[in-house]
Amino acid sequence: MLTIRNLHAQLEDEKRSILEGVDLEVSAGEVHAIMGPNGSGKSTLSYVLAGREGYEVLDGVVLLDGENLLEMEPEERAAAGLFLAFQYPVEIAGVGNMTFLRTALNAQRKARGEEPVSAADFLRLARERAKHLGIGPDLLRRPVNYGFSGGEKKRNEILQMAVLQPRMCILDETDSGLDVDAMRQVSEGVNNLRNPDRAIVLITHYQRLLDHIKPDYVHIMAKGRIVETGGPELALKVETEGYGTMTGATG
Amino acid sequence: MSEQEEVALREGVDRETVRKVEGVGAPYRHGWETDIETDYAPKGLSEDIVRLISGKNDEPEWLTDWRLGAYRRWTELREPAWAMVDYPKIDYQNQYYYAKPKSFETRPKSLDDVDPKLLETYEKLGIPLREQEILAGVEGAEKAPAAGRPVAVDAVFDSVSVGTTFQKELREAGVIFCSMSEAVREHPELVKAYLGSVVPVTDNYFATLNSSVFTDGSFVYVPPGVRCPMELSTYFRINAKDTGQFERTLIIADKGSYVSYLEGCTAPQRDTAQLHAAVVELVALDDAEIKYSTVQNWYPGDENGNGGIYNFVTKRADCRGARSRVMWTQVETGSAVTWKYPSCILRGDESHGEFYSIAITNNRQQADTGTKMIHLGRNSRSRIVSKGISAGKAQNTYRGLVSMHPKASNCRNYTQCDSLLIGDKCGAHTVPYIEMRNSTSRVEHEATTSKVDEDQLFYCRQRGMDEEEAVALVVNGFCREVLQELPMEFAMEAQQLVAISLEGSVG
């Protein structure tokens, strides 16, 4: 589903290279975890894939279902099924959470040539999905992420994912700042979304998220590249040994 | 209202907003003109023209004299230059002060007599949609639910009132809602008692000009204890070329009464600027309440600043009675230059004045707008919420005065001015004046200036919205506090306007 080959990217302003040849192949139905120390380029990878301004792709290819992702606008990538759960979800004052989500859903549907979802159908869908995530009606009515706690913001990201039903989900440090209960709810939410048509990439520092969401593959990222790939046991190795040996191996 | 309906309505608005943004090819939607035979008075301004306008309206002598007094005063005044706006000198002798569709040679008895082209014009405007159906006399239109409740409309085309809807229902409630020219004929005692009592003939350059040449406008009187059964609305349209529009609105809410009033404005797209100098006077007696909402969408000129309406308007409310309340809400998206300060004189004890404003300037538009809250009565309260949005190369100024007079003890004001910048070539300015002349009153002022946040836009786009949808959503959120003060029917229109007026401001 997602193919990344030799991806090189830098920060436009600083001309500082951050991704130095990322290779990754993600197939439908798989869950991949990308782990790595601070500054290894994990978040940059997610931003480059989502099309955020400020990053310059110098080389490489990114294909989503065979389409050249790098040539698309951010909203076209979203309509094509790419979803990024943000590490720091943005607050938008004055815009109702449901208004935001329905506008987004119908924008995507329109881009795909589908009919808009009626208000009633949407509300039913959103409420049902929210219930599973322990999100009450109050949170649905409030402005987008406005005054939400860290855990509420992360759960709201998963709610958006559950409503938008993207095929390729990238979760950027969704576990950061979560207490035990929130971690469980978020993980359940993600696990419920696992299916043979959907792929998930988890970006995380810590192994503990992977206790809840079992990955098929674990990748270690360091200095802008994926330096090691393995199964869930690789995450446990990181837990006990740290990143030192693996990142050191690349020189 | 159930939760589902509430969300459905809000959702509907957003879908509409998006549809409008996408469906609009040209940046200004109302730029067409109606090819209609028009009767002009000769160009230029003189005592003869003033007499001619007065004569065309069959006015009594006192009013002709009142106009002439204003005209003489005006010749001694100078155009104000203190506002932060810059426009070429206006040649007051090179424009028409009176234009009237020819079909109005004899005043129509009913809407059936109105030139179909005029009605087509209102149909084309489509705002507010249901009212023009009624204006056009569509059978059963009056009974159709119009988003819950009906709205009575007075339509003013160039200098003349085209027609007023729902006359019968209003009459039954005892409410007088008619054109100003009709009020002069039918209710001279009320006009004489209140005209110029809030904005005196000598008030300022543009108000004085208006006093001498105003042609029509709307008149409202709500008798004591009456709650006006529907929203009242005036729809202004400038059609004729080189013509100024000088309408005059007078609203009187007698003791214990309530009325909500809205004005909407559009004009054709022309490469020469046109002058609009209106005066609005509101009088609220004891325990009366007036809500006055404006959705101003005059042609703003092209992106290089050619053409557009010069909107130099004097609006003032006199909270004359104890516990009277006036609320101004304005959405200013049009006009090349806006100079406008809807104000409240809080004369009555415990009177209440509110001002909610959204001013959006894009391209080369300039707006210098705000309010004056003059506290004269004890325990009076005022609240100001201003949202200025500036894009392109536009300049947007909030200018406001809060004045607490020596005898106005225990008064309160709260002011909040927020400015939002889109791009790096526009400007936002806040110029608050505060006069405290007693020690028991309190004034609070908060101001913020921010830029449209790239992170917010990216967040919206990652979820599937295109850039213009994203900006419209974020800006509508920024304006929420003001939008929610508008009557529901007009809140939708206003949200669409916010989106449309910011077209081309990003990317």
Side-chain angles (χ1 to χ4, degrees):
Chain A
M1 178 183 291
L2 181 70
T3 302
I4 304 173
R5 279 203 293 267
N6 193 32
L7 183 62
H8 286 75
Q10 67 177 11
L11 271 175
E12 231 164 41
D13 290 347
E14 299 173 29
K15 300 289 176 210
R16 184 160 59 81
S17 178
I18 300 182
L19 300 183
E20 304 200 324
V22 176
D23 290 293
L24 185 66
E25 185 76 41
V26 179
S27 300
E30 295 175 351
V31 174
H32 291 239
I34 299 178
M35 303 181 74
N38 285 327
S40 57
K42 303 189 301 293
S43 287
T44 297
L45 177 63
S46 70
Y47 287 146
V48 169
L49 293 178
R52 190 188 187 114
E53 279 176 37
Y55 296 94
E56 199 176 340
V57 174
L58 302 170
D59 199 4
V61 175
V62 180
L63 303 174
L64 181 66
D65 294 324
E67 301 275 327
N68 184 351
L69 196 70
L70 299 175
E71 277 185 356
M72 299 183 199
E73 294 293 328
E75 60 271 23
E76 293 169 339
R77 301 178 194 206
L82 183 83
F83 180 92
L84 171 62
F86 285 67
Q87 185 180 0
Y88 304 108
V90 180
E91 299 187 356
I92 308 177
V95 177
N97 210 9
M98 288 297 92
T99 305
F100 173 82
L101 190 48
R102 182 155 176 254
T103 306
L105 177 63
N106 282 335
Q108 289 197 16
R109 292 180 67 91
K110 184 167 185 213
R112 294 193 293 255
E114 298 163 9
E115 286 295 304
V117 173
S118 78
D121 288 346
F122 171 78
L123 206 65
R124 210 170 297 127
L125 173 75
R127 281 204 186 125
E128 188 256 322
R129 298 285 147 87
K131 210 170 147 190
H132 284 299
L133 288 160
I135 294 176
D138 173 56
L139 220 58
L140 297 182
R141 268 195 294 268
R142 274 157 59 186
V144 182
N145 294 323
Y146 200 77
F148 286 23
S149 70
E152 286 172 334
K153 283 182 183 173
K154 295 298 174 71
R155 273 187 282 161
N156 199 37
E157 293 291 285
I158 305 303
L159 171 65
Q160 292 178 7
M161 198 167 100
V163 169
L164 295 172
Q165 294 281 324
R167 295 188 56 234
M168 181 68 242
C169 310
I170 302 165
L171 280 64
D172 189 5
E173 304 210 10
T174 297
D175 53 331
S176 66
L178 293 187
D179 61 26
V180 180
D181 289 338
M183 174 83 93
R184 188 177 42 79
Q185 279 170 326
V186 163
S187 305
E188 271 177 28
V190 175
N191 284 328
N192 286 338
L193 289 169
R194 289 179 79 154
N195 76 34
D197 297 326
R198 178 174 293 127
I200 296 171
V201 172
L202 305 167
I203 292 173
T204 183
H205 272 297
Y206 305 106
Q207 131 77 20
R208 62 169 189 163
L209 178 68
L210 307 182
D211 288 340
H212 297 273
I213 308 170
K214 284 274 173 247
D216 301 300
Y217 299 94
V218 174
H219 310 275
I220 306 299
M221 199 164 173
K223 296 180 183 162
R225 301 181 59 190
I226 286 174
V227 293
E228 196 166 341
T229 294
E233 74 287 349
L234 188 57
L236 293 169
K237 189 175 149 200
V238 168
E239 184 84 344
T240 51
E241 297 178 18
Y243 291 113
T245 54
M246 286 172 263
T247 55
T250 62
Chain B
M1 184 185 286
S2 78
E3 192 186 333
Q4 181 157 332
E5 279 169 339
E6 185 188 303
V7 175
L9 217 44
R10 256 196 271 124
E11 297 298 329
V13 171
D14 293 317
R15 190 175 60 235
E16 274 288 283
T17 305
V18 169
R19 195 176 59 76
K20 290 278 175 177
V21 173
E22 288 164 353
V24 172
Y28 187 72
R29 278 201 311 152
H30 304 301
W32 39 270
E33 71 182 286
T34 307
D35 182 16
I36 217 161
E37 270 197 277
T38 307
D39 185 19
Y40 291 100
K43 262 188 183 175
L45 188 50
S46 65
E47 289 200 12
D48 286 343
I49 292 287
V50 173
R51 281 200 184 86
L52 185 142
I53 293 168
S54 189
K56 289 260 185 197
N57 282 347
D58 288 327
E59 285 173 359
E61 206 181 328
W62 69 263
L63 190 51
T64 313
D65 290 343
W66 192 82
R67 287 173 178 277
L68 286 169
Y71 172 72
R72 286 169 200 140
R73 174 72 187 196
W74 181 73
T75 57
E76 294 163 12
L77 292 175
R78 279 202 178 161
E79 204 170 317
W82 44 261
M84 204 160 148
V85 291
D86 183 26
Y87 54 91
K89 202 169 161 42
I90 299 170
D91 184 354
Y92 289 91
Q93 297 304 335
N94 192 31
Q95 57 179 322
Y96 298 105
Y97 288 85
Y98 187 81
K100 175 164 104 170
K102 271 227 168 111
S103 58
F104 276 50
E105 279 301 306
T106 54
R107 188 164 282 275
K109 296 282 179 295
S110 76
L111 286 169
D112 296 340
D113 300 338
V114 172
D115 189 331
K117 273 198 182 151
L118 267 182
L119 295 176
E120 263 172 43
T121 302
Y122 282 93
E123 196 176 310
K124 230 166 154 182
L125 288 166
I127 300 174
L129 280 167
R130 290 167 193 86
E131 292 85 312
Q132 68 82 18
E133 274 179 17
I134 295 156
L135 269 178
V138 174
E139 204 177 336
E142 296 189 29
K143 293 186 192 81
R149 51 184 191 273
V151 179
V153 180
D154 183 31
V156 176
F157 192 87
D158 288 334
S159 302
V160 186
S161 172
V162 174
T164 310
T165 59
F166 287 109
Q167 287 283 21
K168 187 166 149 278
E169 288 80 354
L170 290 169
R171 222 172 10 247
E172 279 166 10
V175 175
I176 301 170
F177 178 38
C178 61
S179 69
M180 189 59 109
S181 51
E182 197 180 332
V184 170
R185 283 195 306 276
E186 307 290 332
H187 310 282
E189 69 300 335
L190 284 171
V191 176
K192 205 170 174 179
Y194 289 101
L195 187 73
S197 72
V198 185
V199 178
V201 166
T202 54
D203 192 80
N204 71 70
Y205 188 80
F206 298 113
T208 305
L209 175 63
N210 173 287
S211 300
S212 60
V213 299
F214 78 87
T215 35
D216 217 331
S218 296
F219 176 85
V220 177
Y221 172 77
V222 190
V226 170
R227 196 179 163 86
C228 187
M230 61 188 77
E231 306 272 348
L232 303 183
S233 171
T234 298
Y235 206 82
F236 293 103
R237 171 85 181 161
I238 298 178
N239 191 62
K241 205 174 173 212
D242 297 330
T243 303
Q245 179 146 335
F246 305 94
E247 82 273 2
R248 184 125 194 155
T249 299
L250 175 57
I251 299 177
I252 303 141
D254 213 321
K255 290 179 183 175
S257 68
Y258 167 85
V259 63
S260 170
Y261 181 93
L262 180 120
E263 60 171 2
C265 334
T266 58
Q269 197 162 337
R270 298 186 191 286
D271 53 10
T272 52
Q274 280 181 289
L275 178 63
H276 172 247
V279 171
V280 175
E281 296 178 279
L282 311 184
V283 180
L285 301 181
D286 288 357
D287 300 295
E289 181 174 357
I290 302 174
K291 283 187 183 171
Y292 192 104
S293 314
T294 302
V295 175
Q296 186 265 108
N297 186 25
W298 297 119
Y299 176 55
D302 70 13
E303 57 196 43
N304 299 313
N306 298 313
I309 300 290
Y310 294 165
N311 194 34
F312 300 149
V313 171
T314 305
K315 292 184 170 177
R316 195 172 301 154
D318 190 351
C319 291
R320 207 166 281 185
R323 296 167 303 279
S324 56
R325 299 176 77 104
V326 166
M327 182 168 119
W328 297 102
T329 307
Q330 61 172 20
V331 179
E332 302 282 319
T333 62
S335 295
V337 181
T338 296
W339 179 98
K340 179 183 167 188
Y341 316 90
S343 302
C344 294
I345 300 166
L346 299 162
R347 199 184 299 275
D349 289 348
E350 294 171 51
S351 59
H352 216 108
E354 288 167 278
F355 174 76
Y356 296 94
S357 171
I358 298 169
I360 301 181
T361 50
N362 195 359
N363 297 318
R364 298 269 181 179
Q365 281 178 279
Q366 307 170 65
D368 192 306
T369 186
T371 185
K372 289 186 276 185
M373 292 291 175
I374 316 279
H375 290 256
L376 302 176
R378 284 166 296 178
N379 298 308
S380 52
R381 299 277 183 273
S382 62
R383 182 179 170 84
I384 299 169
V385 178
S386 164
K387 304 277 182 179
I389 297 118
S390 215
K393 294 175 181 168
Q395 295 294 329
N396 201 323
T397 303
Y398 168 82
R399 189 184 303 275
L401 168 69
V402 176
S403 174
M404 303 288 187
H405 279 237
K407 285 181 182 165
S409 52
N410 294 310
C411 296
R412 298 280 180 273
N413 163 266
Y414 172 74
T415 301
Q416 181 191 334
C417 291
D418 298 321
S419 303
L420 187 68
L421 299 169
I422 302 173
D424 54 7
K425 293 185 177 65
C426 52
H429 317 274
T430 304
V431 191
Y433 302 85
I434 298 171
E435 290 174 5
M436 292 289 284
R437 285 152 65 191
N438 68 62
S439 57
T440 56
S441 294
R442 202 170 73 209
V443 172
E444 287 176 70
H445 182 96
E446 288 178 22
T448 66
T449 301
S450 52
K451 291 192 74 168
V452 160
D453 185 359
E454 290 296 328
D455 289 343
Q456 287 180 335
L457 296 185
F458 177 64
Y459 191 66
C460 294
R461 294 181 74 190
Q462 207 302 304
R463 296 300 183 251
M465 296 170 222
D466 67 32
E467 202 165 10
E468 287 194 339
E469 263 179 295
V471 169
L473 192 82
V474 169
V475 172
N476 267 312
F478 174 77
C479 299
R480 174 70 58 201
E481 284 161 282
V482 175
L483 288 171
Q484 69 192 13
E485 300 297 339
L486 284 171
M488 184 57 80
E489 295 86 339
F490 306 119
M492 297 192 183
E493 182 189 339
Q495 288 207 351
Q496 294 164 14
L497 266 181
V498 167
I500 291 165
S501 57
L502 286 170
E503 272 187 359
S505 64
V506 288

